[in-house]
């Protein structure tokens, strides 16, 4: 495939030459450029889009290595085409990150040589995988040096989140965590995930798209006090007052001195998720590193009753928007006039009508026909196409409301003709898996990897499967992808706990034809039995919007599954229908009544 | 609870004193005595029953620590009562091995002191857990020194297993494994599991009860040659001829010299399953240790077509014996004259009628009523009781046949009255789980921990569960408990492979009342689908004997599960009925016809 870029007119050739000159000046023979920001998070600010600046590649996962005489850019199977389209083959080898791991490529092409890396952009674990070269940390990223017009790092203010939304004040949270640290014999914990700061200090922000965090770092001490490292302009007076006396603030520039003061202390640090800069700086300071996961991750995942109530309320508003959208689509789709982009915009507009709507929780995936089979499809002006009559259309989207984060996928048949039997067979198997997981009851101690098969069994019985996890954690007005628990064979064996919110999204994808995914969010709750010797858990489905009955083959569902589906649809009709206006929304109500009728 | 022993008359006081004197002579202040032999296997020869000799405790899992002034013996919840009954509370603290870990007890009671251990009886991992004391390996076990009349180690001959039973000759197996070693850059692999020798060299023996192995060690080299370390009297000429030129033999006494010769070599050793003696001896020799699991474990678990055919044939003979037994029990039980022991003996007698029967594969668990609720119940003369009318009776047993190893559990209602509805509810939930696992279809890559929930879901839905794994690997005329795969949340994440044989044994236990367990063996096979993009697997149920219809409530089973049960019973009737004599076995046949009728 030829590149869309022309080496003579694109800026990337000059950028690469400038970077190589900068490396030469520092005595480096190469440099590693991951797609990452200084928090190693999923959503990165524009100022950290170094991979896109140097290579042109804008995918959400990747890494480049620039040597004196060659360069390579790596990404995964989701981005094979995009990588080819966005980068110049004359400048870059374009490689699959698991089939041709960058670590091997580097060892092979630059064995023994001095290779630079930015210690803020790689975790200790990621760095450890690079072997056979001499790795040299840089104090200033050379890409930033040559990046004329680099956007300034975001400076949005961190704003307090009241206890009426957070459900627990920061002092209580810090006391809980302090006990965990003290019991583990740890003096201090490093926090680098902005979502951990957001939860621990009851703060939110707007520094990055989709996830309402303020970028910063913190040190939490075993006495419950803490210090937040954030630019002063991000911390208005009102926020400082909210933080109280036990939480001090300092500029990020003070971080090295603060770590240097930890000589002799035992400091908790996560080598998997935190920049290696913290490790080397702590070691140089004479601190003792206790490896362990971010102590905020587990308590943050277990939503308290106020957060649970917020999630329920947000899902009702989101369900109203999605229902309006589905009713609109049922009218619009058979005509064939709408496109993937216009449909996505329509849904966004319905959501924006909702109280406390703050934006999307991730870029919506709006895929018609064969585009639906591309699991992480992101429609662009170039790829946008009409939604045709009589095809499968998939839309995976979510929203941030002040009281909760949503994520829902529906797959619909555009009509007006009936859906083919094979499509209904595939959809119904996906639905059977979705329902099996939604109905699961299990004792405490069970983790996501132990439940994943419930969602796949009906597909497996037909020799079918899907190549992604079944569920990810979802935050409380925080990241739509939140650890530490997940429902997937590859997920960590973190036992599910009451209050966790996880997605339930089995799918099936027929490349070149269509994609199916049915996603609701689940809340983990205690199950109650008459004479129970141990604690059992079950799921409450939070998401409220009809599944397309045109794609369901009732005879393929067990009686229990049919009962679940009918009860779910009855609840959707009662709750969502109850929020619609009998006069103004008459058409939506009529559609909803038919869409949620029992099968 | 008072001890059954009297310190003045029992031998244990004198033995303890003698051991303490022996330790004193060596300058040791304590000694660790695990229930283990020099292969760290499950079934140990009498000569290695050091824990029973010193403490009186005969359970299959435990550990003692003897200090100058105190001593403790540890075991798990299965053996709480037995531990109290068999040991003298005046001599021993009797402790729960997980609630009061021996490592903590030792550190607390003998911190900093010189504690001896036998490096043949602890793995490197087990040893690593003992901290805070000075650990001193002994060259000769001091228990053996003071053990007057210690049985001689077993010296049964190792006998060849022909390729008509093994399915692959040793040279081919060694070539396969040599490739694995060579690819990993390993020169030699240590083998300490007698079952690994048995598989690799196509040998069997009678050194221990229940598992047909000859005790020995081996070194396998990356060129496919090997050396077996076994007493010469265990290797008759016929066996040496069978081993061929590429496999040499040496006395166990030559092992140290053989390891000393590995200086500079890379030697594969498993710190979890192999005596630490090998590690320290290899390190002293200047060998480089490559930690890795026993390379035989995975190929041994994947039975070849000849072994699979053997397993099927053995299960038919075993099914005939179990069916005769169940038919007999249906007549005998309601009368109430039989006991747990007499019933077990009856089953053994039926099995002994089968061709190539070689003995039991483990001590049968024959538990009536409340005894069935004791998961590892082993009937003794003292505990033996009548099997009463109108109660639940559980029997878990297995056999070694030359062509295969069996393991089956059936739970029956003794009658003549009907079983209570709650009992039928519990049994049917266990059966639903058994069937869900038996019917599972799954892609390659799925491991036992991912399937365990299938077997529990019907119980979980009622807030019930069982406190043991669902399935363990089973050997081919080898150990009835075989790694590396298992079906349990606690099992290793070893993907299931075609040819593996695993048990399917969900249960439910109501303490003081009854126990339920329904166990068949499963063979992993490839599943075939019309248009399949990846390899899928399914199970073939090997075990053939009816489940007690008196304990099944049909309305609690899904239509698919009922269909499975009826098809299974039809197969039992066809295959087992076909092996019975129309005239001589008329009563059994009549019982079988009724027992396997559709529900």
């Amino acid at each position: 495939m030829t590149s869309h870029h022309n080496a003579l007119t694109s800026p990337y050739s000059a950028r690469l030459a400038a970077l190589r000159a900068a490396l030469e000046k520092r005595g480096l023979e190469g440099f590693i450029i991951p797609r990452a920001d200084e928090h190693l998070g999923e959503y990165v600010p524009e100022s950290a889009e170094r991979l896109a600046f140097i290579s042109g590649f804008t995918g959400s996962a990747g890494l480049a290595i620039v040597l004196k005489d060659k360069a390579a850019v790596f990404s995964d199977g989701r981005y094979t085409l995009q990588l080819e389209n966005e980068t110049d083959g004359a400048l870059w080898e374009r490689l699959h990150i698991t089939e041709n791991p960058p670590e091997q490529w580097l060892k092979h092409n630059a064995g023994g040589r001095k290779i630079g890396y930015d210690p803020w952009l790689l975790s200790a674990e990621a760095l450890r995988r690079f072997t056979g070269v001499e790795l040299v940390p840089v104090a200033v990223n050379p890409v930033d040096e040559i990046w004329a017009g680099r956007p300034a790092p975001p400076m949005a203010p961190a704003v307090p989140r009241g206890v009426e939304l957070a459900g627990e004040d920061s002092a209580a949270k810090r006391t809980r965590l302090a006990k965990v640290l003290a019991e583990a014999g740890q003096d201090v914990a490093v926090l680098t995930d902005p979502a951990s700061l957001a939860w621990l200090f009851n703060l939110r922000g707007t520094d990055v798209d989709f996830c309402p965090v303020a970028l910063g770092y913190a040190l939490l001490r075993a006495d419950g006090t803490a210090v937040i490292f954030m630019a002063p302009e991000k911390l208005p007076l009102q926020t400082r007052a909210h933080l109280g006396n036990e939480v001090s603030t300092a500029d990020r520039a003070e971080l090295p001195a603060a770590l240097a003061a930890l000589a002799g202390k035992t400091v908790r640090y996560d080598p998997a998720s935190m920049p290696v800069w913290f490790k080397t700086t702590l070691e140089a300071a004479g601190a003792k590193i206790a490896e362990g996961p971010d102590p905020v991750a587990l308590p943050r995942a277990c939503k308290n009753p106020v957060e649970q109530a917020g999630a329920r309320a947000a899902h009702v508003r989101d369900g109203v928007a999605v229902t309006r959208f589905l009713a609109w689509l049922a009218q619009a789709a058979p005509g064939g006039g709408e496109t993937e982009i216009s449909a996505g915009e329509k849904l966004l507009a319905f959501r924006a009508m909702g109280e406390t709507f703050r934006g999307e929780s991730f870029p919506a995936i709006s895929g018609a026909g064969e585009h639906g089979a591309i699991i992480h499809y992101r429609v662009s002006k170039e790829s946008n196409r009409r939604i045709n009559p009589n095809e499968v259309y998939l839309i995976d989207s979510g929203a941030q409301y002040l009281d909760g984060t949503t994520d829902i996928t529906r797959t619909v048949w555009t009509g007006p003709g009936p859906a083919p039997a094979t499509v209904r067979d595939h959809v119904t198997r996906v639905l059977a898996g979705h329902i099996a997981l939604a109905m699961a009851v299990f004792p405490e101690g069970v983790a996501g990897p132990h439940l994943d098969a419930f969602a796949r069994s009906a597909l497996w019985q037909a020799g079918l499967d899907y190549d992604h996890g079944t569920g990810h954690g979802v935050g409380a007005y925080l990241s739509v992808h939140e650890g530490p628990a997940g429902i997937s064979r590859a997920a960590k064996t973190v036992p599910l706990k009451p209050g966790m919110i996880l997605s339930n999204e089995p799918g099936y994808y027929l490349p070149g034809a269509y994609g199916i995914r049915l996603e609701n969010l689940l809340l983990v709750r205690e199950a109650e039995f008459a004479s129970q010797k141990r604690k059992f858990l079950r799921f409450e489905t939070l998401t409220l919007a009809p599944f397309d009955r045109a794609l369901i083959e009732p005879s393929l569902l067990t009686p229990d599954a049919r009962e679940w589906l009918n009860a779910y649809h009855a609840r959707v009709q009662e709750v969502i229908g109850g929020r619609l206006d009998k006069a103004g929304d008459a058409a939506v109500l009529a559609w909803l009544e038919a869409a949620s009728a029992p099968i």
Side-chain angles (χ1 to χ4, degrees), chain A residues 112-128:
Chain A
R113 292 195 228 157
K114 273 190 160 164
I115 306 298
Y117 69 94
D118 185 337
W120 286 94
L121 303 183
L122 288 170
S123 70
E125 275 188 12
L127 188 67
R128 203 174 291 149

Side-chain angles (χ1 to χ4, degrees), chain A residues 64-315:
Chain A
I65 300 177
V66 174
L67 302 177
K68 283 184 164 185
D69 51 351
K70 55 173 69 178
V73 55
F74 305 78
S75 193
D76 59 50
R78 293 175 287 172
Y79 292 115
T80 307
L81 274 179
Q82 188 176 333
L83 190 62
E84 298 272 344
N85 287 339
E86 292 184 339
T87 61
D88 184 342
L91 301 174
W92 299 92
E93 286 183 54
R94 284 85 60 98
L95 298 169
H96 191 287
I97 201 160
T98 50
E99 289 166 14
N100 288 293
E103 298 84 359
Q104 279 180 24
W105 187 91
L106 183 63
K107 196 197 282 188
H108 180 75
N109 287 290
R113 292 195 228 157
K114 273 190 160 164
I115 306 298
Y117 69 94
D118 185 337
W120 286 94
L121 303 183
L122 288 170
S123 70
E125 275 188 12
L127 188 67
R128 203 174 291 149
R129 285 194 286 271
F130 287 100
T131 56
V133 296
E134 186 187 339
L135 291 163
V136 182
V138 298
V140 174
N141 194 309
V143 175
D144 297 357
E145 258 174 35
I146 63 152
W147 188 346
R150 177 180 167 227
M155 281 294 157
V159 299
R161 182 161 175 83
V163 76
E164 76 286 355
L165 285 167
E168 182 181 14
D169 67 23
S170 172
K173 291 178 177 179
R174 282 182 281 109
T175 302
R176 280 208 280 152
L177 285 184
K179 216 179 135 195
V180 171
L181 297 186
E183 276 171 10
Q186 297 162 348
D187 301 305
V188 178
V190 172
L191 302 179
T192 65
D193 179 354
S196 292
L197 275 64
W199 181 86
L200 185 60
F201 303 112
N202 288 339
L203 295 174
R204 293 296 187 273
T206 54
D207 279 341
V208 293
D209 289 338
F210 308 114
C211 183
V213 292
L215 300 181
Y217 302 93
L219 296 176
L220 171 67
R221 303 187 192 95
D223 64 359
T225 66
V227 51
I228 297 178
F229 298 88
M230 236 180 232
E233 49 269 58
K234 293 172 69 79
L235 293 160
L237 269 181
Q238 179 211 7
T239 300
R240 286 177 203 234
H242 161 81
L243 291 172
N245 292 332
E246 294 181 330
V247 179
S248 59
T249 61
D251 195 71
R252 187 183 138 173
E254 295 174 50
L255 201 38
L259 295 194
L262 296 177
K265 302 286 186 190
T266 298
V267 182
R268 179 164 169 156
Y269 160 85
D270 182 9
S273 72
M274 297 180 177
V276 68
W277 181 87
F278 286 88
K279 181 172 190 279
T280 48
T281 306
L282 286 166
E283 284 172 348
K288 193 183 156 203
I289 288 182
E291 294 196 350
D294 178 342
V296 172
L298 184 60
R300 183 183 61 205
C302 301
K303 278 74 183 172
N304 62 45
V306 171
E307 291 172 319
Q308 294 177 27
R312 284 190 194 98
H315 275 88

